[in-house]
Amino acid sequence: MDAQSYNTGLAELRTLRENIKKTAAALARLETERSNTISALAGYNKAKADRIAPAAGISVAEVVTIAPQLAPDSLAAAPSAGPHTDAVARDPAPAAQTPAAPAEARQAQAPLTADGDPRILPSLPDESTADRWFTHTPRLVSQRPNFLQRPRATVFLDATTGVLVHRDHTTRLDLGDRSAAALLTAVFHTVPDSVERIYITAGDPWHRDADRYPYLRDAVAAWLNAPVPGWRTDTGHGKDRLAGHFVHARNPVGRYQREGGDHRVEIRSVGEWFDLADGDDPAMVRDAFLLLWQELRRRWPDAVIMGSPSQTGRDLWTRTIPQRGKYADGFPVLSEELRGLLHATAGQGRNELITPPHVPAQPPQLVEYDRTFAYAKHTWKSPVGTPRRITSRTFASWTTQEQTNALYGCGHWHVRVTVPDGWNHVGILPAPAPGERAWHYPSAPGSTFTTWAGGPEIHTALNNPIQPWKIEIIDGILWEADKPLADWAKKLKDTWTNLSAQAHYQGDEHQARAAHLASRAVRSIMLYGIGSFAQRPRMVTGSTPRTLERDVPPDAEIIGFDDEQITWQRATGFARDPNAHPEWAATVWSSARAALLSQYHRDDDTYAGALHTPPGTVVAFRTDALYLTEPQNWPHHHQPGDYLLRGHLTGPLAAPTTEEELLTLRDAGRAALTSAGQET
């Protein structure tokens, strides 16, 4: 770029700046006008928030915020709960390796939400009313299926080039404007109606109008809900619970049914399974799925690859439920109350970016370590049976050994945490942060907070290599330990090991790459299969013609609208899912977060993890990955959980301050390591 181009670019930026200011001002005026109109409408004695919300394009809750008089009687203001302060004064706990019973300490510092209110995690009810929590949902049990899954004919389509692969045939299609209508028309002009699944390998057609919408989800929703002549949204049939479109910014699912017929088809992104590189064409993806299916069949003779890794993972797990022994009749599902508590208090992967001054403003390097196939390492023990409540009094009455055994067992603990004075490293335990299901990791010396955490993390806080933290047990849930996931995980591990070996030793470059992608798909089956046990409350997305806006569900949130349709979503609570086991997911997640901090390698008699690095060298955590400012000599034996060197970028660099900057440096570091021939 020359000086003239540079100055021209600056002028364009100034123009954009002024246009943005004008647009923001116009938007603010419109929002004010909308609020004034809502307030005026609220003066009508028959006005209802559920009628005004779809007309305004906002949720009922937002309408009630603007016009409180429209709040339903059931939403009348109730006293807000404050931080947990009902502790009994005791002598401070010594710096020992066991937690204390509740003590009168500094009041819990509840993080503030965006509107200034504390976000306080739920707690267990009074002992007198908790009996119905500590039980199982009647007639809801995970059982081994007595049927075989039906495979679905699948094609693979590059939405950029139009290349379509159906079995051994490759065709190039004219996809027109890349709308869902154009895709379905072009595909079924070429392949038979027996095809029921279309995997998009490249092109992301649902992003074609992304520049017209403020958020990618809006663009995706508009693409999915646009009219498709000859087709309608699939509303499900029989026991099929996966009806309707699934709106996701990156990996949506479109489900369609032919008008006047039974032909159903879904359009999915292959990004659910693995990330593709340049040169990974639809034929490569087909071969990866073929290898995956062949290897799974070696362990599960009835294995079928379903639409997503999570569906596939759970289906394969059900086929490992024991046919003899204590759980031959299946694994009962927890009460809805305990499932709801685990949903609200058990976070998933740790994602944290640490910025200056806690790390150097110009780190000398950025080194990425990824825990290989990490979740497979944490499935050898899981909670089963009817859980017990462990109150603070009960815990305090136990011996030191009994307390240690409980924390080593399968439990979920409500605790008050104090970061020790002099602490100068990363945080250990998650605390609720502003935002739905958001977490952060306090590390300031002397700070106190109340949270829920699993035994592995609490054990790490008490027995880390630097300094023990103070942990006070408020309440807890404790299960028996067994191995409901062990057989499933072992078979997936064997599948992954075999495919990884093929990728490493295969002489044919194409087959080696296909084997690598298949091994990444096994990782996704494990990762998302465990996540699916958490069984989040279901979120249903739908659309309603603007002429029928009265039919928008009253508890729905409007997420998009145009001149023809209103797109909405609403939570429907917990489904009666026989395979809902959030206690298993919570245990694996807690173990994985703890291993990011400290992990013992028995064969090498050494430790690895963030707490075994010098203070100020940890730049970020991303689920199973750790980003550091200097390399570590950690063992890697190609076993699940080992730290694999994935990227190494030399500097000095500008420390990343946003996720986007971190990902840019990550990609550069991976490219640099690959070009240097050091990747393992």
Side-chain angles (χ1 to χ4, degrees):
M1 175 180 289
D2 55 23
Q4 182 178 355
S5 299
Y6 178 76
N7 291 328
T8 301
L10 289 177
E12 291 175 354
L13 275 180
R14 296 186 189 101
T15 302
L16 288 171
R17 178 193 65 197
E18 297 307 314
N19 289 338
I20 290 171
K21 287 182 179 179
K22 293 176 183 177
T23 302
L27 177 61
R29 286 195 299 271
L30 289 172
E31 289 178 339
T32 300
E33 184 179 346
R34 179 175 64 185
S35 297
N36 292 338
T37 303
I38 290 173
S39 298
L41 291 173
Y44 177 51
N45 60 0
K46 294 183 179 180
K48 293 184 177 180
D50 59 358
R51 288 292 309 281
I52 295 175
I58 57 178
S59 68
V60 172
E62 290 173 296
V63 170
V64 171
T65 300
I66 296 169
Q69 66 269 37
L70 296 179
D73 294 339
S74 61
L75 297 181
S80 59
H84 196 297
T85 56
D86 57 347
V88 178
R90 298 177 184 269
D91 292 334
Q97 301 302 304
T98 55
E104 191 66 57
R106 282 162 282 197
Q107 181 168 301
Q109 300 171 350
L112 298 181
T113 58
D115 56 6
D117 294 328
R119 176 177 171 240
I120 300 171
L121 297 177
S123 57
L124 292 170
D126 294 337
E127 293 181 58
S128 60
T129 61
D131 288 348
R132 64 187 176 90
W133 286 50
F134 287 82
T135 184
H136 294 105
T137 302
R139 299 178 300 282
L140 198 59
V141 181
S142 303
Q143 294 179 315
R144 194 182 185 101
N146 57 5
F147 62 91
L148 298 178
Q149 288 289 356
R150 181 177 65 86
R152 298 193 179 190
T154 301
V155 298
F156 303 90
L157 174 66
D158 184 325
T160 299
T161 64
V163 171
L164 175 80
V165 171
H166 175 223
R167 297 186 177 178
D168 294 331
H169 302 288
T170 300
T171 313
R172 188 178 295 273
L173 307 180
D174 180 359
L175 300 180
D177 62 359
R178 297 197 305 151
S179 64
L183 263 64
L184 291 173
T185 299
V187 168
F188 288 106
H189 183 72
T190 305
V191 303
D193 280 0
S194 58
V195 169
E196 297 178 88
R197 184 176 296 138
I198 302 170
Y199 273 124
I200 304 298
T201 65
D204 295 344
W206 37 80
H207 293 162
R208 63 176 191 146
D209 293 327
D211 57 343
R212 294 175 50 194
Y213 296 89
Y215 302 104
L216 276 180
R217 276 179 56 89
D218 295 342
V220 171
W223 189 88
L224 291 171
N225 290 295
V228 182
W231 298 82
R232 61 181 175 84
T233 302
D234 185 5
T235 55
H237 61 291
K239 295 183 179 180
D240 181 12
R241 297 177 181 272
L242 296 177
H245 303 314
F246 173 63
V247 180
H248 185 279
R250 301 292 178 184
N251 299 314
V253 182
R255 300 185 177 98
Y256 302 92
Q257 180 178 357
R258 199 181 288 277
E259 293 281 6
D262 292 331
H263 181 205
R264 292 173 165 84
V265 65
E266 57 183 18
I267 301 175
R268 310 188 73 110
S269 168
V270 81
E272 295 179 89
W273 293 87
F274 37 64
D275 293 328
L276 296 179
D278 293 341
D280 290 338
D281 58 18
M284 176 75 77
V285 176
R286 175 205 55 198
D287 290 347
F289 274 97
L290 180 60
L291 278 175
L292 173 64
W293 176 76
Q294 290 171 340
E295 288 298 325
L296 289 175
R297 281 279 172 137
R298 296 178 188 272
R299 284 89 188 170
W300 285 275
D302 52 356
V304 169
I305 297 178
M306 303 181 71
S308 70
S310 60
Q311 292 171 280
T312 306
R314 286 218 298 183
D315 181 69
L316 293 176
W317 171 76
T318 62
R319 299 174 192 280
T320 64
I321 294 176
Q323 295 175 291
R324 299 186 184 87
K326 185 176 181 180
Y327 293 101
D329 293 331
F331 296 93
V333 174
L334 291 176
S335 68
E336 186 167 328
E337 289 82 1
L338 275 189
R339 280 183 281 150
L341 179 75
L342 287 164
H343 165 69
T345 61
Q348 193 171 352
R350 178 170 182 169
N351 287 284
E352 180 184 20
L353 177 62
I354 301 170
T355 57
H358 304 290
V359 295
Q362 287 192 314
Q365 308 170 70
L366 183 69
V367 188
E368 178 191 7
Y369 288 96
D370 185 45
R371 295 189 64 235
T372 306
F373 203 37
Y375 283 6
K377 187 177 178 65
H378 306 299
T379 52
W380 64 277
K381 179 179 69 173
S382 302
V384 294
T386 303
R388 291 186 294 153
R389 181 177 190 172
I390 309 300
T391 64
S392 59
R393 294 187 301 276
T394 299
F395 192 89
S397 70
W398 286 350
T399 65
T400 298
Q401 187 59 51
E402 288 173 326
Q403 292 180 350
T404 301
N405 291 343
L407 293 179
Y408 266 115
C410 294
H412 192 55
W413 301 94
H414 195 191
V415 292
R416 184 175 294 114
V417 183
T418 301
V419 182
D421 293 335
W423 184 260
N424 66 345
H425 219 295
V426 298
I428 293 180
L429 292 171
E436 174 68 15
R437 294 193 55 75
W439 303 87
H440 69 153
Y441 294 80
S443 60
S447 61
T448 299
F449 59 95
T450 300
T451 191
W452 284 84
E457 292 168 285
I458 293 176
H459 176 74
T460 301
L462 293 166
N463 297 277
N464 68 78
I466 302 172
Q467 187 179 2
W469 286 31
K470 182 178 179 181
I471 308 292
E472 305 167 89
I473 299 294
I474 298 172
D475 226 329
I477 307 167
L478 190 63
W479 288 265
E480 298 175 23
D482 210 307
K483 299 181 178 182
L485 302 177
D487 186 32
W488 173 72
K490 181 182 183 303
K491 290 181 176 181
L492 286 177
K493 175 190 171 184
D494 291 345
T495 305
W496 172 80
T497 300
N498 201 350
L499 287 168
S500 298
Q502 291 183 49
H504 188 71
Y505 295 109
Q506 172 63 252
D508 181 273
E509 185 177 344
H510 178 93
Q511 285 299 106
R513 177 61 182 171
H516 172 74
L517 292 177
S519 72
R520 299 299 291 174
V522 178
R523 174 188 177 276
S524 296
I525 290 173
M526 170 72 75
L527 181 71
Y528 297 117
I530 287 173
S532 71
F533 286 124
Q535 201 243 337
R536 308 298 187 199
R538 297 182 69 193
M539 186 69 72
V540 174
T541 302
S543 61
T544 301
R546 287 294 295 266
T547 56
L548 299 175
E549 69 177 41
R550 183 190 293 266
D551 294 339
V552 173
D555 57 345
E557 176 187 3
I558 308 300
I559 60 175
F561 57 89
D562 55 28
D563 293 338
E564 297 181 355
Q565 298 200 60
I566 300 171
T567 305
W568 48 265
Q569 67 179 15
R570 66 186 179 95
T572 60
F574 292 98
R576 281 187 61 84
D577 183 351
N579 296 320
H581 291 285
E583 68 277 20
W584 296 349
T587 299
V588 172
W589 293 339
S590 177
S591 299
R593 290 193 300 268
L596 272 180
L597 297 168
S598 182
Q599 175 176 283
Y600 181 59
H601 291 261
R602 188 178 305 277
D603 292 343
D604 301 274
D605 190 26
T606 190
Y607 287 87
L611 293 179
H612 299 277
T613 65
T617 60
V618 179
V619 175
F621 299 87
R622 279 184 61 82
T623 309
D624 297 326
L626 193 58
Y627 296 83
L628 308 173
T629 63
E630 57 186 46
Q632 304 294 317
N633 188 27
W634 290 336
H636 183 268
H637 302 300
H638 301 278
Q639 294 298 312
D642 287 358
Y643 280 90
L644 170 68
L645 178 63
R646 289 289 307 278
H648 190 173
L649 189 64
T650 57
L653 314 163
T657 57
T658 66
E659 182 182 31
E660 183 179 2
E661 292 175 357
L662 174 66
L663 296 180
T664 298
L665 292 175
R666 178 202 67 181
D667 294 344
R670 290 181 179 180
L673 186 65
T674 301
S675 64
Q678 299 174 18
E679 188 175 25
T680 54

